[in-house]
Amino acid sequence: MKKTILSGSTVTGDLTLGNYIGAINNWTQLQDDYDCLYFLADLHALTVQQDPKLLKERTYSFLAQYVALGLDPQKNIIFAQSHVHQHAELMWILSCLTPMGNLNRMTQFKEKSEKHTKNINAGLFTYPTLMAADILLYQADKVPVGEDQKQHIELCRDLVTYFSNRYGEGILKMPEPFIAKTGARIMSLQDPTKKMSKSDENEKNFVSVIDDAKKIEKKIKSATTDSDIVVKYDLENKPGLANLLTIYSVLSKKSYETLEKEYEGKMYGHLKGDLANLVVETLAPVKIKYDDLMKNRDYLDQVLKQGADKASQRAQVTLGKVYDAVGLVRRP
Ligand code: ATP
Ligand code: LTN
C-alpha cells in the first residue's frame, strides 16, 4: 500500500517561484511513489475579499498552473476544495474541538489580520481548522508544504490527539509535515526579510511561474543584495544573496559550495544574469503548456470532475466514521 500525500494551495494571485520551489516542485517528485491528492483551496481564498468572477477564472488558471508545472492528472487526484462538501462539514466537527487559544497563536493569522485590517473575519481566524479537515478527510500520511505552514500542521496534529482522546483512536490518522531541507522559505526579492508571497501587492517582490522572460529577468536582476562583492552563502549577513543562491541551488541541483566556487572572483551581477537565464529556461515550457491548457476548458473541466468524484468518495468514508463516532444519527 502506497502512503497518502495531500497538499494544496490557496487560490489567490498566481503561483510564485516560492510556491514552486517550496511546494509544487516537491509534489511532482512524489507523484510516482505515493498515492497523491492535490487540491485548489478555493474555500480558503474566501478568507480575504475576492472578486467572484476573478476567483472562478483563477481556479481554472491554478489548475492549469498545477498541470503545467508537472502534476499529472492521471497519477494524482487533482480537485477543487469546494467540490467536495465534506471539507466544510468535517471542519465544523473539528471547530468544536479547536481551542481558541491554539488559533490565537497562529502567526499567519496575526500577519494577515495586520495586512487586512478592514476584513478580520472569523474565517481568517478559523482557517487552520479547515486546513486540518482538508488533511484528515483523506487520512494523509504526509503533507508537503513550505516552512510557513508548519504551525498549521502542528494544530492539525493536536486536533487528531484531542479527537482520539475524546472519541477513540484510529478514526483520524496522524499526519506528518514534509518540508524540504532547501527552499522551504523563499524570500521576497526586494525585502529578503519577508517571505515571497503571491498576494504581495508589489509584484517586484515575486516571480510568478507564468511571468514572461522579460519580467523575470528584470525582477531577478533588480533583487536586493548587499554591497559586498564576495559570492558566499551567509543567511545572516547577506540574506538577499542567500535567497538567490537558494533559488539557484534548487533549480540547478548544485550545492551552495559548488556555486560559491563557480562565482569566485565574479560579481553579483554575473550571478544574477545567470540565475535570470536559469529561471527563464525553467519556466518557459511551463508558460507554453499553461497557455495551451487555458485554451482547453473542456479538458480542465474533465480533470476537475474526475478529481471531485474520486476525492468525494474517499472523503465520505472518513466523514461517515467521524459522524458515527461523535454520535450523530445516520440518516434513515
Ligand atoms: P498568499 O500570499 O496568498 O498567502 P502564499 O504565496 O503564501 O500565498 P500559499 O497558497 O499560502 O502561498 O502556499 C502554497 C504552498 O506554497 C504552501 O505549501 C506554502 O508553504 C508554500 N509556500 C508559500 N510561500 C512560500 C515561500 N516563500 N517559500 C517556500 N514555500 C512557500
Ligand atoms: N494553508 C495552505 C493551503 C492549504 C493546505 C491545506 C496545504 C489549505 N489546506 C492542506 C496543505 C494541506 C497555504 O498554503 N496557505
Side-chain angles (χ1 to χ4, degrees):
M1 274 282 275
K2 286 183 178 174
K3 296 238 182 221
T4 301
I5 298 264
L6 173 128
S7 198
S9 179
T10 309
V11 182
T12 42
D14 286 316
L15 291 168
T16 66
L17 208 49
N19 300 128
Y20 174 60
I21 291 175
I24 294 157
N25 186 32
N26 304 319
W27 302 357
T28 57
Q29 290 175 28
L30 298 163
Q31 61 188 354
D32 289 316
D33 301 320
Y34 292 86
D35 161 34
C36 301
L37 299 109
Y38 296 114
F39 71 101
L40 306 153
D42 51 359
L43 295 176
H44 280 275
L46 297 173
T47 55
V48 296
Q49 203 177 330
Q50 300 290 341
D51 172 333
K53 263 204 195 121
L54 247 174
L55 178 59
K56 276 189 189 155
E57 209 39 47
R58 198 168 266 148
T59 304
Y60 284 105
S61 168
F62 259 56
L63 173 60
Q65 290 175 53
Y66 277 13
V67 178
L69 285 169
L71 281 189
D72 182 346
Q74 297 311 321
K75 291 185 185 163
N76 307 283
I77 300 181
I78 305 178
F79 66 100
Q81 186 182 29
S82 63
H83 290 173
V84 184
H85 58 79
Q86 287 86 350
H87 287 246
E89 293 175 69
L90 180 59
M91 185 210 176
W92 176 251
I93 307 284
L94 296 176
S95 295
C96 298
L97 282 173
T98 310
M100 296 286 280
N102 293 39
L103 292 176
N104 261 326
R105 287 202 289 273
M106 298 293 142
T107 50
Q108 195 182 64
F109 172 71
K110 287 180 201 158
E111 283 165 16
K112 295 228 161 166
S113 49
E114 271 164 28
K115 204 167 139 194
H116 303 279
T117 43
K118 295 214 175 72
N119 184 19
I120 306 176
N121 60 74
L124 192 63
F125 187 63
T126 57
Y127 158 120
T129 305
L130 179 57
M131 179 162 163
D134 302 333
I135 298 169
L136 301 176
L137 268 181
Y138 303 96
Q139 310 284 350
D141 295 285
K142 287 185 195 290
V143 186
V145 285
E147 181 71 40
D148 61 315
Q149 297 301 317
K150 202 171 164 191
Q151 200 184 23
H152 293 160
I153 297 180
E154 272 315 309
L155 174 83
C156 175
R157 289 170 56 84
D158 286 342
L159 290 176
V160 173
T161 305
Y162 303 154
F163 186 93
S164 303
N165 288 345
R166 191 175 304 177
Y167 300 113
E169 300 280 337
I171 300 160
L172 296 177
K173 187 176 243 174
M174 185 67 88
E176 306 261 352
F178 185 87
I179 298 172
K181 283 205 183 75
T182 311
R185 194 171 171 82
I186 299 298
M187 308 310 278
S188 149
L189 295 174
Q190 295 295 318
D191 178 1
T193 60
K194 258 183 17 190
K195 158 184 117 91
M196 183 182 285
S197 166
K198 60 180 148 59
S199 57
D200 200 315
E201 57 280 348
N202 179 1
E203 67 159 309
K204 282 189 183 156
N205 283 332
F206 58 83
V207 167
S208 136
V209 297
I210 52 172
D211 271 349
D212 60 40
K214 242 192 178 158
K215 258 194 187 166
I216 297 177
E217 209 172 298
K218 215 168 153 196
K219 288 177 180 178
I220 301 267
K221 286 189 174 165
S222 64
T224 302
T225 38
D226 56 274
S227 54
D228 194 22
I229 50 165
V230 184
V231 173
K232 187 170 175 19
Y233 183 85
D234 179 347
L235 192 55
E236 206 168 305
N237 300 308
K238 301 170 175 235
L241 181 69
N243 191 39
L244 298 182
L245 281 169
T246 300
I247 298 172
Y248 206 149
S249 167
V250 174
L251 298 185
S252 67
K253 301 195 175 71
K254 291 180 186 169
S255 67
Y256 293 134
E257 293 74 30
T258 306
L259 291 172
E260 284 169 359
K261 274 208 192 97
E262 273 181 23
Y263 287 93
E264 219 170 75
K266 292 183 184 160
M267 309 290 270
Y268 288 0
H270 200 121
L271 178 137
K272 284 183 178 175
D274 290 348
L275 176 59
N277 288 341
L278 176 61
V279 176
V280 168
E281 244 170 62
T282 310
L283 296 179
V286 174
K287 174 82 168 109
I288 293 171
K289 189 150 188 220
Y290 169 80
D291 287 339
D292 205 37
L293 285 161
M294 283 304 276
K295 285 186 213 130
N296 198 344
R297 253 330 134 91
D298 289 348
Y299 171 73
L300 295 178
D301 273 328
Q302 196 188 316
V303 172
L304 285 178
K305 178 172 175 6
Q306 177 187 308
D309 288 347
K310 288 189 182 158
S312 302
Q313 253 180 16
R314 291 174 60 161
Q316 188 49 41
V317 174
T318 304
L319 190 71
K321 286 185 191 161
V322 167
Y323 273 18
D324 251 355
V326 304
L328 298 173
V329 171
R330 286 202 186 175
R331 183 171 157 176

